[in-house]
Amino acid sequence: MKKIFFTLLLTTLLSAVFAQDPNFSQFFASPLTLNPALTGKYDGLFRVAGNYRNQWPTINNAFITKTVSADFHLLNNNLPDIDRWGFGVLAISDQNGNGALTTNQFSLSTAYHKGLDENGYHQIGVGFQGSYTDKRLDITKLDFEDELTSLGFTGTTSEIFPQNGLKVKYFDMNAGFLYNGSTNGYNNFYLGASMYHINRPKETFQGGQFYLNSRTTIQGGGRIPFGQYNAIHFSANYSSQANANNLMFGGAYAMNLNYDDENPTTIYLGTWARFNNVSDAIIPYIGLEFGDFQLGSSYDVNISSLKPASNLKGGVEISLIYIKKPVNKELKKLNCPKF
C-alpha cells in the first residue's frame, strides 16, 4: 500500500506516541483499564465507572476515547469476611484521526482478593481479563498521495481495497497483581503490576505478520490523612510497550467539606504530570465526591514539541464513578485503595 497522507500518518504517529493502547490522564479513575486485579477492589455493593477523553482536538480530533465499566462481588456469604471475589465488564470505544480508525472492545474480568490479617488491612489480589477487539479503518476519511493536485486533494486514488473494507478482529488476554495495605486503618497504600496482550494477537489490515506487542504497567499510590478529616492522595503509573514508555505521577489534596467520615462531601484539587518518548503534559485535576458518586475533571496542558500544532491544548477528560454503599453494614469495611 502506498503512503497514506496526513490522516493515517497522524494516526500512526499518535498511536506510537501513546504505546498503541488508549491512555487516561485520570488512570486512577479507570480501574478496569488500569489493572485487571482492581476488579472488585472497592468498599460497597457494586461499582459503575465511565470515562471520556478528547486528546489533541485541535489536531483533527486525534483521539476520542470513551469507556464504561461495572464490577461487583460474588459469593460474599461463602467467603471469609476479609476476602473478596470480583467480576466485571468493560466496554471501550476509541476513535483516531477524526474517526478514520475506530476500535471497539468488550472485556470480561475477574479477580480474587485475599486478606492477610484479621482486620483486612492487608490484601493481595490476582486478576485476569479477556477481551474481544474490533478495529475498522474508514478509507473515505483518508487522503492519499496520488489524490494531491495543484488545486488540493481533488484527484481519485488508484489504491485498491477489499470490498468489505479494512477491519481486524481478535481475542486478547490480560492479567495483573495487586497488593494494598494500611498501618492503622486510616492510611492506605497499594502497589500493582499488570500485563496486556499476553497472547500477542495478530493485528494487520493487509495481511503480513504483525503481532501486537505486550504492554507492561506498574502502578502505585496511597492516601495519607491530613488532620482529622482531610487527606493527601498520590499515585503513579508507568507503562512500556515496544519502544514506547509512558510515566505519570502526581497527587491531590482532599478537603472534607461537611466534616463527615461516613458520608463525606469532598473536593479534590491536584496536578499530575506525564512524560513519554516524544511528549509530556501538566494535568490540573479537580474532583468532587458526594453520596455514592465521585466526579473528576482534568485538562492536559501540552508542553511538548507538539505545542505549535496543539496550541497548548492537550485535551479534556471527565470521569464518573458510582459505588453503591452497603446498607446496615452488609459487608465488613476493608481498607481498599481510595482513588
Side-chain angles (χ1 to χ4, degrees):
M1 177 181 286
K2 298 179 181 178
K3 294 181 180 179
I4 299 176
F5 193 80
F6 187 72
T7 305
L8 187 57
L9 178 61
L10 178 64
T11 299
T12 304
L13 172 62
L14 298 184
S15 297
V17 167
F18 280 87
Q20 297 177 345
D21 290 338
N23 279 254
F24 286 105
S25 293
Q26 297 178 49
F27 58 90
F28 47 86
S30 183
L32 298 195
T33 63
L34 179 62
N35 188 334
L38 286 168
T39 305
K41 193 61 175 173
Y42 59 89
D43 278 317
L45 300 180
F46 62 88
R47 173 174 60 185
V48 179
N51 306 84
Y52 171 84
R53 177 176 179 81
N54 189 350
Q55 174 72 17
W56 292 335
T58 58
I59 311 180
N60 207 28
N61 289 322
F63 287 111
I64 297 178
T65 306
K66 294 170 281 189
T67 74
V68 61
S69 67
D71 56 332
F72 50 90
H73 299 125
L74 300 173
L75 303 178
N76 285 327
N77 296 329
N78 301 98
L79 300 176
D81 61 1
I82 58 173
D83 289 6
R84 294 287 187 272
W85 181 16
F87 181 83
V89 295
L90 167 69
I92 300 176
S93 176
D94 184 57
Q95 294 183 347
N96 295 357
N98 204 27
L101 178 64
T102 300
T103 302
N104 292 309
Q105 186 179 88
F106 179 78
S107 305
L108 298 176
S109 61
T110 186
Y112 192 89
H113 306 277
K114 178 65 178 176
L116 303 179
D117 63 291
E118 61 181 10
N119 294 317
Y121 285 177
H122 300 269
Q123 284 186 319
I124 56 172
V126 176
F128 299 91
Q129 187 177 72
S131 301
Y132 175 77
T133 300
D134 184 321
K135 289 194 174 188
R136 297 174 184 268
L137 186 63
D138 186 350
I139 60 175
T140 66
K141 296 183 179 180
L142 302 176
D143 293 320
F144 295 86
E145 187 176 39
D146 58 356
E147 293 181 284
L148 182 61
T149 71
S150 59
L151 299 176
F153 286 95
T154 61
T156 302
T157 181
S158 60
E159 298 289 344
I160 300 175
F161 299 99
Q163 291 184 352
N164 61 349
L166 296 175
K167 54 188 177 181
V168 60
K169 302 177 181 180
Y170 55 83
F171 177 77
D172 214 354
M173 280 296 298
N174 315 312
F177 168 85
L178 182 75
Y179 163 79
N180 79 281
S182 174
T183 60
N184 55 18
Y186 296 98
N187 61 19
N188 66 56
F189 43 89
Y190 67 94
L191 180 65
S194 54
M195 178 173 286
Y196 291 78
H197 318 306
I198 294 175
N199 57 318
R200 296 201 62 197
K202 187 175 181 179
E203 187 181 64
T204 176
F205 289 112
Q206 292 287 84
Q209 299 297 316
F210 179 80
Y211 295 91
L212 191 58
N213 290 298
S214 298
R215 174 168 61 93
T216 302
T217 71
I218 301 173
Q219 58 276 159
R223 175 185 183 273
I224 301 175
F226 192 82
Q228 184 176 356
Y229 297 100
N230 303 334
I232 296 175
H233 295 252
F234 58 93
S235 60
N237 183 46
Y238 172 79
S239 66
S240 177
Q241 185 175 13
N243 295 320
N245 301 301
N246 192 61
L247 173 64
M248 292 191 62
F249 60 89
Y253 182 73
M255 183 166 55
N256 190 321
L257 301 179
N258 62 347
Y259 307 107
D260 187 340
D261 286 331
E262 294 297 324
N263 295 287
T265 298
T266 305
I267 187 169
Y268 297 82
L269 298 173
T271 302
W272 270 258
R274 180 179 61 245
F275 298 91
N276 52 44
N277 298 62
V278 298
S279 67
D280 49 39
I282 302 299
I283 308 160
Y285 168 82
I286 183 170
L288 178 65
E289 180 183 9
F290 56 98
D292 296 340
F293 294 89
Q294 184 166 330
L295 175 67
S297 178
S298 61
Y299 191 84
D300 292 15
V301 180
N302 185 9
I303 57 173
S304 73
S305 57
L306 288 173
K307 285 189 296 182
S310 68
N311 196 26
L312 293 177
K313 297 177 181 179
V316 64
E317 188 170 311
I318 299 172
S319 66
L320 178 63
I321 298 177
Y322 173 82
I323 300 177
K324 178 62 177 176
K325 295 180 179 178
V327 179
N328 300 322
K329 308 299 181 182
E330 298 166 74
L331 288 174
K332 177 181 175 66
K333 183 176 176 61
L334 301 179
N335 194 64
C336 293
K338 181 80 173 191
F339 301 106

